[in-house]
Amino acid sequence: MMEKVTAGRDAMSEFAPKFAELNDDVLFGEVWSREEQLSPRDRSLITVCALMASGILDSSLLHHIQRAKANGVTAVEMAEALTQLAFYAGWPKAWAALRMAKEVYGEQK
């Protein structure tokens, strides 16, 4: 069972309370908890790939790479997924994502 996510409320509860609620309760509560349909490991890998492909190369991607590692995605799998995606999403995006992944996983492979 996943830990309860409070990032939305921590960052946006005063300014955008509905967004905070949807982030914490719906996205990370209801959607991420559907483990029978898709494992947290697979959901993490998909999320990292979607963020990279969308050009979201900020702390959101870093957080999801960390979450993917915690959910069992190996360094080899992460590197391979991002390398494959480089041909579709763009080489510069892959460079940025791979640098983040290298930081999260260290030199291990």
XYZ file of all heavy atoms in Angstrom:
847
model
N 0.840 -1.190 0.000
C 0.000 0.000 0.000
C 0.880 1.248 0.000
O 1.872 1.320 0.711
C -0.899 -0.021 1.228
C -1.744 1.198 1.344
S -3.328 0.768 2.040
C -4.003 2.359 2.201
N 0.512 2.201 -0.800
C 1.294 3.424 -0.926
C 1.042 4.359 0.238
O -0.033 4.370 0.827
C 0.920 4.141 -2.220
C 1.504 3.509 -3.441
S 1.230 4.506 -4.905
C 1.669 6.134 -4.365
N 2.061 5.145 0.527
C 1.907 6.178 1.538
C 0.992 7.275 1.011
O 0.891 7.481 -0.202
C 3.273 6.768 1.868
C 3.854 7.520 0.681
C 5.346 7.692 0.723
O 6.048 6.705 0.908
O 5.789 8.833 0.553
N 0.318 7.964 1.895
C -0.584 9.039 1.482
C 0.236 10.233 1.019
O 1.134 10.687 1.698
C -1.487 9.444 2.644
C -2.433 10.577 2.279
C -3.693 10.533 3.076
C -4.598 11.699 2.810
N -5.100 11.806 1.472
N -0.060 10.704 -0.161
C 0.637 11.845 -0.736
C -0.044 13.123 -0.276
O -1.268 13.244 -0.338
C 0.651 11.758 -2.274
C 1.201 13.034 -2.892
C 1.447 10.554 -2.718
N 0.753 14.067 0.186
C 0.236 15.363 0.633
C 0.922 16.527 -0.081
O 0.783 17.668 0.337
C 0.419 15.521 2.163
O 1.806 15.470 2.472
C -0.331 14.443 2.919
N 1.636 16.234 -1.155
C 2.399 17.275 -1.852
C 1.504 18.418 -2.328
O 1.889 19.592 -2.248
C 3.146 16.670 -3.031
N 0.331 18.098 -2.844
C -0.587 19.136 -3.303
C -1.006 20.059 -2.186
O -0.952 21.283 -2.317
N -1.421 19.479 -1.097
C -1.838 20.305 0.043
C -0.662 21.068 0.642
O -0.814 22.223 1.042
C -2.525 19.434 1.090
C -3.926 19.022 0.667
C -4.652 18.220 1.756
N -6.010 17.945 1.374
C -6.388 16.916 0.618
N -5.507 16.054 0.146
N -7.668 16.741 0.320
N 0.493 20.418 0.689
C 1.676 21.083 1.238
C 2.037 22.325 0.430
O 2.402 23.351 0.993
C 2.880 20.130 1.267
C 2.693 18.956 2.221
O 1.770 19.000 3.069
O 3.471 17.994 2.109
N 1.923 22.231 -0.887
C 2.366 23.325 -1.748
C 1.260 24.292 -2.157
O 1.524 25.468 -2.399
C 3.014 22.751 -3.009
N 0.007 23.821 -2.259
C -1.039 24.634 -2.881
C -2.333 24.776 -2.086
O -3.289 25.341 -2.599
C -1.406 24.040 -4.246
C -0.313 24.091 -5.252
S -0.120 25.796 -5.797
C 1.367 25.648 -6.747
N -2.383 24.287 -0.856
C -3.663 24.266 -0.140
C -4.292 25.644 0.033
O -5.505 25.775 -0.055
C -3.511 23.583 1.217
O -2.642 24.325 2.042
N -3.512 26.646 0.233
C -4.067 27.990 0.429
C -4.410 28.652 -0.903
O -5.451 29.260 -1.051
C -3.062 28.852 1.193
C -2.695 28.279 2.541
C -3.188 29.123 3.684
O -3.538 30.284 3.469
O -3.217 28.590 4.800
N -3.526 28.518 -1.883
C -3.681 29.216 -3.153
C -4.666 28.520 -4.087
O -5.487 29.163 -4.730
C -2.318 29.358 -3.837
C -2.370 30.149 -5.110
C -2.540 31.527 -5.082
C -2.256 29.520 -6.339
C -2.593 32.259 -6.251
C -2.314 30.237 -7.517
C -2.478 31.613 -7.475
N -4.568 27.190 -4.181
C -5.422 26.422 -5.101
C -5.895 25.155 -4.395
O -5.441 24.052 -4.698
C -4.662 26.087 -6.377
N -6.822 25.292 -3.441
C -7.224 24.144 -2.635
C -7.853 23.001 -3.444
O -7.629 21.833 -3.129
C -8.214 24.721 -1.627
C -8.641 26.041 -2.176
C -7.522 26.523 -3.041
N -8.612 23.299 -4.483
C -9.226 22.236 -5.277
C -8.150 21.454 -6.029
O -8.201 20.222 -6.099
C -10.257 22.810 -6.258
C -11.055 21.735 -6.960
C -11.831 20.893 -5.943
C -12.728 19.883 -6.590
N -13.459 19.068 -5.628
N -7.174 22.154 -6.600
C -6.064 21.493 -7.275
C -5.324 20.591 -6.295
O -5.009 19.440 -6.614
C -5.094 22.527 -7.866
C -3.889 21.904 -8.499
C -3.931 21.480 -9.815
C -2.713 21.726 -7.782
C -2.819 20.895 -10.407
C -1.601 21.132 -8.355
C -1.658 20.723 -9.674
N -5.065 21.086 -5.096
C -4.373 20.299 -4.074
C -5.158 19.031 -3.739
O -4.586 17.944 -3.638
C -4.162 21.142 -2.816
N -6.456 19.167 -3.602
C -7.321 18.023 -3.314
C -7.279 16.999 -4.448
O -7.137 15.797 -4.221
C -8.757 18.497 -3.093
C -9.757 17.384 -2.924
C -11.205 17.865 -2.970
O -11.465 19.065 -2.745
O -12.074 17.024 -3.271
N -7.421 17.467 -5.683
C -7.402 16.568 -6.833
C -6.052 15.863 -6.966
O -5.991 14.661 -7.257
C -7.727 17.334 -8.120
C -9.159 17.863 -8.216
C -9.298 18.829 -9.383
C -10.160 16.723 -8.319
N -4.980 16.583 -6.753
C -3.644 15.993 -6.826
C -3.484 14.881 -5.797
O -3.081 13.763 -6.124
C -2.584 17.078 -6.593
C -1.182 16.543 -6.744
O -0.667 16.415 -7.839
N -0.551 16.222 -5.622
N -3.802 15.191 -4.553
C -3.549 14.243 -3.466
C -4.576 13.118 -3.402
O -4.204 11.953 -3.219
C -3.518 14.975 -2.122
C -2.380 15.975 -2.012
O -1.523 16.024 -2.929
O -2.347 16.727 -1.024
N -5.840 13.450 -3.542
C -6.899 12.461 -3.343
C -7.274 11.686 -4.600
O -7.573 10.494 -4.520
C -8.152 13.131 -2.772
C -7.895 13.798 -1.426
O -6.869 13.484 -0.786
O -8.708 14.636 -1.024
N -7.276 12.348 -5.744
C -7.679 11.673 -6.970
C -6.469 11.069 -7.683
O -6.379 9.854 -7.829
C -8.472 12.614 -7.910
C -8.831 11.909 -9.194
C -9.736 13.125 -7.206
N -5.528 11.920 -8.094
C -4.385 11.406 -8.845
C -3.575 10.411 -8.021
O -3.409 9.257 -8.410
C -3.490 12.549 -9.319
C -2.196 12.116 -10.008
C -2.482 11.256 -11.236
C -1.359 13.329 -10.376
N -3.078 10.853 -6.880
C -2.237 9.961 -6.083
C -3.016 9.093 -5.115
O -2.483 8.145 -4.564
C -1.155 10.763 -5.340
C -0.088 11.247 -6.261
C -0.045 12.566 -6.668
C 0.855 10.368 -6.752
C 0.937 13.007 -7.533
C 1.841 10.793 -7.625
C 1.879 12.124 -8.012
N -4.281 9.373 -4.930
C -5.112 8.543 -4.076
C -5.820 7.474 -4.883
O -5.488 6.296 -4.816
N -6.779 7.870 -5.686
C -7.599 6.913 -6.435
C -6.876 6.271 -7.621
O -6.945 5.061 -7.803
C -8.860 7.609 -6.944
C -9.803 8.056 -5.840
C -10.984 8.840 -6.368
O -11.369 8.641 -7.540
O -11.510 9.678 -5.621
N -6.191 7.057 -8.420
C -5.589 6.513 -9.646
C -4.373 5.658 -9.329
O -4.268 4.512 -9.776
C -5.233 7.650 -10.638
C -4.519 7.093 -11.862
C -6.500 8.399 -11.052
N -3.450 6.188 -8.547
C -2.226 5.433 -8.239
C -2.511 4.198 -7.392
O -1.702 3.277 -7.348
C -1.201 6.333 -7.553
C -0.344 7.071 -8.542
C -0.688 8.210 -9.211
C 0.949 6.705 -8.995
N 0.333 8.570 -10.048
C 1.360 7.669 -9.934
C 1.811 5.651 -8.686
C 2.586 7.621 -10.572
C 3.041 5.616 -9.331
C 3.413 6.591 -10.258
N -3.627 4.143 -6.725
C -3.931 2.989 -5.867
C -4.526 1.809 -6.648
O -4.743 0.750 -6.081
C -4.898 3.394 -4.754
O -6.167 3.716 -5.294
N -4.746 1.959 -7.931
C -5.353 0.901 -8.750
C -4.286 -0.142 -9.131
O -3.981 -0.355 -10.288
C -6.001 1.508 -9.988
C -7.167 2.417 -9.636
C -7.647 3.243 -10.823
N -7.721 2.530 -12.077
C -8.827 1.960 -12.565
N -9.950 2.052 -11.906
N -8.790 1.320 -13.718
N -3.743 -0.804 -8.135
C -2.627 -1.727 -8.333
C -3.024 -3.011 -9.050
O -2.172 -3.672 -9.639
C -1.949 -2.022 -6.998
C -1.276 -0.799 -6.424
C -0.570 -1.052 -5.109
O -0.319 -2.226 -4.779
O -0.272 -0.064 -4.422
N -4.288 -3.385 -9.014
C -4.720 -4.582 -9.745
C -4.685 -4.338 -11.249
O -4.457 -5.258 -12.026
C -6.132 -4.998 -9.314
C -6.167 -5.581 -7.919
C -7.576 -6.007 -7.533
O -8.409 -6.263 -8.433
O -7.836 -6.070 -6.333
N -4.911 -3.103 -11.660
C -4.933 -2.774 -13.081
C -3.527 -2.503 -13.618
O -3.218 -2.830 -14.758
C -5.814 -1.539 -13.333
C -7.274 -1.785 -13.106
C -7.681 -1.721 -11.635
O -6.875 -1.430 -10.758
N -8.944 -2.018 -11.366
N -2.680 -1.877 -12.803
C -1.328 -1.519 -13.231
C -0.475 -1.367 -11.981
O -0.847 -0.627 -11.068
C -1.374 -0.203 -14.010
C -0.192 0.176 -14.876
C 0.066 -0.872 -15.966
C -0.416 1.533 -15.520
N 0.634 -2.060 -11.949
C 1.490 -2.019 -10.756
C 2.101 -0.630 -10.574
O 2.281 0.114 -11.545
C 2.613 -3.052 -10.887
O 3.561 -2.628 -11.847
N 2.444 -0.278 -9.332
C 3.124 1.002 -9.102
C 4.418 1.118 -9.915
O 4.751 2.190 -10.411
C 3.409 0.993 -7.600
C 2.351 0.115 -7.031
C 2.134 -0.946 -8.072
N 5.121 -0.003 -10.094
C 6.351 -0.016 -10.883
C 6.066 0.409 -12.322
O 6.718 1.304 -12.862
C 6.954 -1.423 -10.859
C 8.184 -1.573 -11.687
C 8.400 -3.054 -12.045
N 9.429 -3.186 -13.016
C 9.287 -2.945 -14.318
N 8.136 -2.589 -14.801
N 10.302 -3.060 -15.137
N 5.074 -0.221 -12.936
C 4.742 0.111 -14.318
C 4.174 1.522 -14.431
O 4.480 2.258 -15.366
C 3.748 -0.897 -14.891
C 4.362 -2.281 -15.054
O 5.598 -2.423 -14.932
O 3.596 -3.242 -15.294
N 3.342 1.904 -13.485
C 2.758 3.246 -13.483
C 3.866 4.297 -13.383
O 3.833 5.329 -14.060
C 1.772 3.372 -12.313
C 0.720 4.426 -12.493
C -0.297 4.383 -11.374
N -1.116 3.191 -11.342
C -2.214 2.982 -12.058
N -2.627 3.905 -12.891
N -2.902 1.865 -11.950
N 4.873 4.020 -12.567
C 6.004 4.943 -12.434
C 6.775 5.075 -13.732
O 7.132 6.183 -14.139
C 6.955 4.470 -11.324
O 6.439 4.728 -10.060
N 7.054 3.957 -14.368
C 7.808 3.995 -15.619
C 7.044 4.769 -16.692
O 7.614 5.595 -17.411
C 8.117 2.571 -16.085
C 9.148 2.436 -17.197
C 10.460 3.110 -16.856
C 9.374 0.967 -17.499
N 5.754 4.539 -16.778
C 4.917 5.265 -17.738
C 4.923 6.759 -17.430
O 5.045 7.594 -18.336
C 3.479 4.712 -17.729
C 3.459 3.310 -18.327
C 2.514 5.650 -18.448
C 2.171 2.549 -18.073
N 4.820 7.109 -16.169
C 4.785 8.521 -15.779
C 6.090 9.215 -16.119
O 6.094 10.330 -16.669
C 4.473 8.656 -14.273
O 3.219 8.036 -14.015
C 4.418 10.104 -13.846
N 7.219 8.581 -15.810
C 8.526 9.164 -16.147
C 8.623 9.391 -17.652
O 9.039 10.464 -18.106
C 9.678 8.267 -15.633
C 11.014 8.689 -16.239
C 9.751 8.313 -14.111
N 8.229 8.413 -18.417
C 8.305 8.536 -19.879
C 7.385 9.642 -20.401
O 7.767 10.405 -21.296
C 7.991 7.200 -20.538
S 9.297 5.972 -20.284
N 6.198 9.736 -19.843
C 5.263 10.780 -20.278
C 5.793 12.172 -19.939
O 5.694 13.102 -20.749
C 3.897 10.563 -19.638
N 6.360 12.325 -18.750
C 6.913 13.624 -18.365
C 8.065 14.013 -19.283
O 8.135 15.149 -19.759
C 7.366 13.604 -16.903
C 6.250 13.526 -15.863
C 6.835 13.319 -14.476
C 5.373 14.761 -15.898
N 8.978 13.074 -19.526
C 10.098 13.368 -20.406
C 9.612 13.737 -21.802
O 10.040 14.729 -22.381
C 11.056 12.191 -20.499
C 12.305 12.504 -21.315
S 13.184 11.035 -21.791
C 13.123 11.182 -23.561
N 8.700 12.954 -22.351
C 8.196 13.209 -23.696
C 7.490 14.560 -23.793
O 7.527 15.213 -24.835
C 7.253 12.094 -24.119
N 6.883 14.978 -22.704
C 6.186 16.264 -22.673
C 7.122 17.440 -22.445
O 6.693 18.588 -22.483
C 5.128 16.258 -21.565
O 4.176 15.256 -21.814
N 8.377 17.146 -22.164
C 9.342 18.212 -21.907
C 9.288 18.747 -20.499
O 9.799 19.832 -20.219
N 8.696 18.004 -19.591
C 8.646 18.413 -18.188
C 9.904 17.864 -17.520
O 9.945 16.720 -17.069
C 7.360 17.928 -17.509
C 6.163 18.510 -18.251
C 7.345 18.297 -16.025
C 4.831 17.967 -17.828
N 10.934 18.681 -17.524
C 12.260 18.248 -17.104
C 12.681 18.957 -15.824
O 13.847 19.305 -15.644
C 13.263 18.519 -18.234
C 12.869 17.906 -19.581
C 13.762 18.425 -20.697
C 12.890 16.388 -19.525
N 11.716 19.149 -14.939
C 11.980 19.865 -13.693
C 11.895 18.923 -12.500
O 12.040 17.709 -12.646
C 11.006 21.040 -13.550
C 9.542 20.600 -13.505
O 9.258 19.384 -13.425
O 8.662 21.484 -13.559
N 11.616 19.454 -11.348
C 11.558 18.646 -10.122
C 10.458 17.589 -10.172
O 10.544 16.579 -9.477
C 11.378 19.541 -8.894
O 10.160 20.265 -8.985
N 9.454 17.782 -11.011
C 8.412 16.762 -11.155
C 9.005 15.473 -11.718
O 8.725 14.376 -11.223
C 7.308 17.239 -12.101
O 6.665 18.363 -11.586
N 9.822 15.608 -12.752
C 10.466 14.434 -13.333
C 11.418 13.793 -12.330
O 11.410 12.572 -12.161
C 11.211 14.808 -14.614
C 11.970 13.673 -15.293
C 11.037 12.521 -15.665
C 12.705 14.188 -16.518
N 12.189 14.605 -11.648
C 13.109 14.074 -10.639
C 12.346 13.287 -9.583
O 12.727 12.164 -9.229
C 13.916 15.203 -9.997
C 14.903 14.793 -8.920
C 15.965 13.845 -9.476
C 15.546 16.028 -8.301
N 11.253 13.847 -9.088
C 10.432 13.160 -8.086
C 9.939 11.811 -8.618
O 9.981 10.804 -7.914
C 9.232 14.024 -7.687
C 8.191 13.287 -6.930
N 8.299 13.012 -5.586
C 7.025 12.726 -7.343
C 7.241 12.302 -5.207
N 6.450 12.126 -6.245
N 9.487 11.781 -9.852
C 8.934 10.543 -10.391
C 10.021 9.518 -10.730
O 9.754 8.313 -10.672
C 8.013 10.828 -11.575
C 6.669 11.289 -11.124
N 5.729 10.431 -10.586
C 6.117 12.527 -11.076
C 4.648 11.114 -10.246
N 4.859 12.385 -10.531
N 11.213 9.969 -11.039
C 12.325 9.024 -11.194
C 12.648 8.407 -9.839
O 12.860 7.195 -9.727
C 13.557 9.698 -11.823
C 13.269 10.076 -13.278
C 14.777 8.780 -11.740
C 14.358 10.931 -13.933
N 12.649 9.222 -8.802
C 12.877 8.702 -7.440
C 11.776 7.718 -7.049
O 12.045 6.660 -6.471
C 12.946 9.857 -6.438
C 14.161 10.723 -6.615
C 14.071 12.050 -5.863
O 12.985 12.538 -5.542
N 15.225 12.640 -5.613
N 10.543 8.052 -7.372
C 9.408 7.171 -7.067
C 9.525 5.868 -7.852
O 9.245 4.789 -7.340
C 8.090 7.879 -7.382
C 6.844 7.049 -7.059
C 5.582 7.844 -7.315
N 5.343 8.812 -6.278
C 4.600 8.565 -5.183
N 4.046 7.395 -5.011
N 4.407 9.502 -4.288
N 9.953 5.963 -9.108
C 10.130 4.769 -9.929
C 11.180 3.847 -9.314
O 10.981 2.629 -9.250
C 10.529 5.160 -11.353
N 12.272 4.421 -8.866
C 13.305 3.611 -8.208
C 12.723 2.929 -6.976
O 12.920 1.729 -6.766
C 14.501 4.476 -7.837
C 15.620 3.700 -7.181
C 16.790 4.592 -6.814
C 17.876 3.781 -6.125
N 18.959 4.643 -5.635
N 12.000 3.680 -6.159
C 11.384 3.120 -4.952
C 10.351 2.046 -5.295
O 10.146 1.111 -4.520
C 10.734 4.232 -4.128
N 9.727 2.163 -6.460
C 8.715 1.191 -6.895
C 9.319 0.015 -7.664
O 8.582 -0.795 -8.224
C 7.635 1.875 -7.729
C 6.687 2.678 -6.867
O 6.521 2.431 -5.690
N 6.047 3.678 -7.470
N 10.641 -0.062 -7.711
C 11.282 -1.243 -8.273
C 11.809 -1.149 -9.688
O 12.280 -2.147 -10.234
N 11.739 0.013 -10.305
C 12.324 0.169 -11.637
C 13.839 0.217 -11.454
O 14.354 1.038 -10.696
C 11.823 1.446 -12.348
C 12.518 1.636 -13.690
C 10.311 1.400 -12.522
N 14.546 -0.666 -12.139
C 15.996 -0.740 -11.984
C 16.681 0.348 -12.816
O 16.078 0.932 -13.723
C 16.540 -2.105 -12.427
O 16.377 -2.219 -13.859
C 15.841 -3.255 -11.709
N 17.949 0.574 -12.524
C 18.738 1.538 -13.289
C 18.813 1.128 -14.752
O 18.707 1.967 -15.650
C 20.136 1.666 -12.680
N 18.989 -0.152 -15.007
C 19.062 -0.655 -16.385
C 17.746 -0.389 -17.110
O 17.733 0.083 -18.255
C 19.416 -2.162 -16.408
C 19.260 -2.751 -17.796
C 20.822 -2.382 -15.874
N 16.623 -0.681 -16.469
C 15.312 -0.455 -17.090
C 15.076 1.031 -17.352
O 14.564 1.404 -18.415
C 14.204 -1.007 -16.200
C 14.210 -2.517 -16.107
C 13.301 -3.054 -15.021
O 13.132 -2.392 -13.965
O 12.761 -4.164 -15.238
N 15.439 1.874 -16.390
C 15.247 3.317 -16.557
C 16.086 3.826 -17.715
O 15.587 4.552 -18.588
C 15.606 4.064 -15.271
C 15.396 5.564 -15.345
S 13.683 6.068 -15.634
C 12.951 5.613 -14.060
N 17.356 3.454 -17.757
C 18.235 3.904 -18.833
C 17.731 3.420 -20.189
O 17.744 4.172 -21.178
C 19.663 3.425 -18.579
N 17.274 2.196 -20.245
C 16.784 1.639 -21.509
C 15.508 2.337 -21.966
O 15.349 2.661 -23.152
C 16.540 0.136 -21.363
C 16.234 -0.557 -22.656
C 17.359 -0.525 -23.683
O 18.531 -0.359 -23.303
O 17.047 -0.661 -24.886
N 14.596 2.582 -21.058
C 13.345 3.259 -21.417
C 13.610 4.670 -21.928
O 13.049 5.089 -22.950
C 12.405 3.300 -20.215
N 14.465 5.400 -21.236
C 14.759 6.768 -21.651
C 15.546 6.807 -22.958
O 15.346 7.710 -23.780
C 15.498 7.510 -20.532
C 14.696 7.671 -19.225
C 15.549 8.330 -18.153
C 13.400 8.423 -19.443
N 16.416 5.833 -23.165
C 17.153 5.746 -24.429
C 16.199 5.460 -25.583
O 16.264 6.087 -26.640
C 18.242 4.654 -24.347
O 19.165 5.007 -23.303
C 18.986 4.511 -25.662
N 15.298 4.517 -25.401
C 14.292 4.208 -26.427
C 13.455 5.440 -26.740
O 13.207 5.773 -27.902
C 13.383 3.068 -25.931
C 12.216 2.748 -26.818
C 12.610 2.066 -28.112
O 13.670 1.463 -28.206
N 11.761 2.154 -29.110
N 13.044 6.123 -25.711
C 12.188 7.288 -25.869
C 12.906 8.456 -26.537
O 12.258 9.299 -27.168
C 11.651 7.706 -24.495
C 10.524 8.699 -24.435
C 9.345 8.255 -25.295
C 10.085 8.890 -22.996
N 14.219 8.502 -26.448
C 14.985 9.597 -27.050
C 14.687 9.747 -28.534
O 14.631 10.862 -29.057
C 16.484 9.366 -26.837
N 14.479 8.633 -29.210
C 14.220 8.672 -30.646
C 12.848 9.238 -30.981
O 12.613 9.689 -32.095
C 14.369 7.268 -31.248
C 15.809 6.817 -31.273
C 16.320 6.075 -30.224
C 16.639 7.167 -32.323
C 17.646 5.672 -30.234
C 17.963 6.768 -32.338
C 18.468 6.019 -31.288
N 11.933 9.212 -30.037
C 10.573 9.693 -30.260
C 10.320 11.072 -29.636
O 9.566 11.870 -30.184
C 9.557 8.694 -29.699
C 9.683 7.349 -30.365
C 10.443 6.344 -29.786
C 9.072 7.103 -31.596
C 10.588 5.114 -30.417
C 9.226 5.879 -32.235
C 9.986 4.886 -31.635
O 10.135 3.679 -32.262
N 10.942 11.311 -28.487
C 10.681 12.547 -27.748
C 11.730 13.625 -27.997
O 11.455 14.805 -27.784
C 10.604 12.255 -26.257
N 12.906 13.211 -28.406
C 13.970 14.177 -28.676
C 15.211 13.920 -27.841
O 15.128 13.555 -26.667
N 16.333 14.079 -28.506
C 17.630 13.804 -27.884
C 17.911 14.722 -26.692
O 18.343 14.243 -25.644
C 18.720 13.924 -28.947
C 19.812 12.927 -28.773
C 21.094 13.207 -28.375
C 19.752 11.517 -28.969
N 21.825 12.046 -28.323
C 21.019 10.988 -28.699
C 18.734 10.642 -29.357
C 21.317 9.641 -28.783
C 19.029 9.293 -29.456
C 20.306 8.807 -29.170
N 17.662 16.035 -26.784
C 17.931 16.917 -25.633
C 17.097 16.550 -24.395
O 17.582 16.633 -23.270
C 17.568 18.316 -26.143
C 17.736 18.221 -27.626
C 17.292 16.824 -27.978
N 15.857 16.146 -24.619
C 15.027 15.725 -23.485
C 15.613 14.480 -22.837
O 15.617 14.335 -21.605
C 13.590 15.447 -23.931
C 12.840 16.684 -24.359
C 11.473 16.301 -24.897
C 10.757 17.492 -25.486
N 9.494 17.093 -26.113
N 16.107 13.570 -23.656
C 16.712 12.351 -23.118
C 17.962 12.671 -22.324
O 18.189 12.088 -21.257
C 17.029 11.384 -24.255
N 18.782 13.578 -22.819
C 19.973 13.976 -22.072
C 19.585 14.479 -20.678
O 20.180 14.080 -19.679
C 20.739 15.077 -22.823
C 21.815 14.566 -23.713
C 21.778 14.474 -25.079
C 23.090 14.063 -23.313
N 22.949 13.952 -25.551
C 23.784 13.698 -24.488
C 23.712 13.903 -22.082
C 25.072 13.172 -24.467
C 24.998 13.378 -22.061
C 25.667 13.021 -23.234
N 18.600 15.348 -20.621
C 18.183 15.907 -19.332
C 17.634 14.824 -18.411
O 17.986 14.756 -17.224
C 17.134 17.000 -19.553
N 16.780 13.960 -18.941
C 16.177 12.902 -18.119
C 17.225 11.886 -17.677
O 17.207 11.428 -16.525
C 15.062 12.209 -18.904
N 18.135 11.533 -18.576
C 19.177 10.568 -18.208
C 20.126 11.135 -17.156
O 20.583 10.401 -16.275
C 19.947 10.120 -19.458
C 19.179 9.117 -20.316
C 19.778 9.040 -21.717
C 19.141 7.743 -19.652
N 20.393 12.420 -17.229
C 21.220 13.041 -16.170
C 20.525 12.936 -14.816
O 21.147 12.645 -13.801
C 21.510 14.499 -16.520
C 22.588 14.664 -17.537
C 22.994 16.139 -17.673
N 24.053 16.264 -18.655
C 23.927 16.860 -19.841
N 22.769 17.412 -20.187
N 24.938 16.931 -20.670
N 19.226 13.192 -14.804
C 18.472 13.068 -13.545
C 18.479 11.629 -13.057
O 18.676 11.383 -11.868
C 17.032 13.543 -13.722
C 16.864 15.012 -13.764
S 15.089 15.395 -13.810
C 15.167 17.082 -14.336
N 18.250 10.696 -13.961
C 18.232 9.288 -13.571
C 19.583 8.854 -13.039
O 19.667 8.130 -12.041
C 17.811 8.423 -14.758
N 20.639 9.313 -13.672
C 21.996 8.982 -13.203
C 22.213 9.514 -11.802
O 22.818 8.853 -10.956
C 23.034 9.554 -14.170
C 24.459 9.176 -13.819
C 25.420 9.749 -14.852
C 26.862 9.436 -14.454
N 27.807 10.082 -15.368
N 21.692 10.718 -11.527
C 21.782 11.292 -10.193
C 21.027 10.438 -9.170
O 21.520 10.185 -8.080
C 21.212 12.719 -10.229
C 21.199 13.428 -8.887
C 20.526 14.782 -8.972
O 20.789 15.531 -9.940
O 19.719 15.096 -8.080
N 19.835 9.991 -9.536
C 19.006 9.198 -8.613
C 19.604 7.823 -8.381
O 19.670 7.337 -7.256
C 17.556 9.077 -9.154
C 16.758 8.061 -8.356
C 16.872 10.446 -9.122
N 20.038 7.180 -9.448
C 20.539 5.810 -9.342
C 22.040 5.750 -9.051
O 22.556 4.679 -8.780
C 20.250 5.040 -10.641
C 18.798 4.670 -10.807
C 17.917 5.473 -11.515
C 18.299 3.498 -10.253
C 16.587 5.121 -11.679
C 16.969 3.135 -10.411
C 16.131 3.951 -11.128
O 14.804 3.591 -11.281
N 22.717 6.877 -9.161
C 24.153 6.861 -8.984
C 24.790 6.239 -10.213
O 24.226 6.237 -11.297
N 25.941 5.684 -10.033
C 26.668 5.071 -11.149
C 26.242 3.634 -11.381
O 26.743 2.976 -12.272
C 28.167 5.125 -10.895
C 28.731 6.538 -10.888
C 28.664 7.225 -12.239
O 28.749 6.556 -13.280
O 28.492 8.456 -12.247
N 25.342 3.092 -10.537
C 24.955 1.689 -10.661
C 24.281 1.409 -11.989
O 23.615 2.226 -12.560
C 24.017 1.285 -9.518
C 22.686 2.027 -9.515
C 21.742 1.574 -8.457
O 21.271 0.462 -8.524
N 21.498 2.404 -7.489
N 24.496 0.241 -12.482
C 23.835 -0.234 -13.687
C 23.957 -1.683 -13.736
O 23.533 -2.599 -13.505
C 24.451 0.352 -14.930
C 23.390 1.082 -15.723
C 23.834 1.526 -17.034
C 22.766 1.086 -17.999
N 22.941 1.102 -19.305
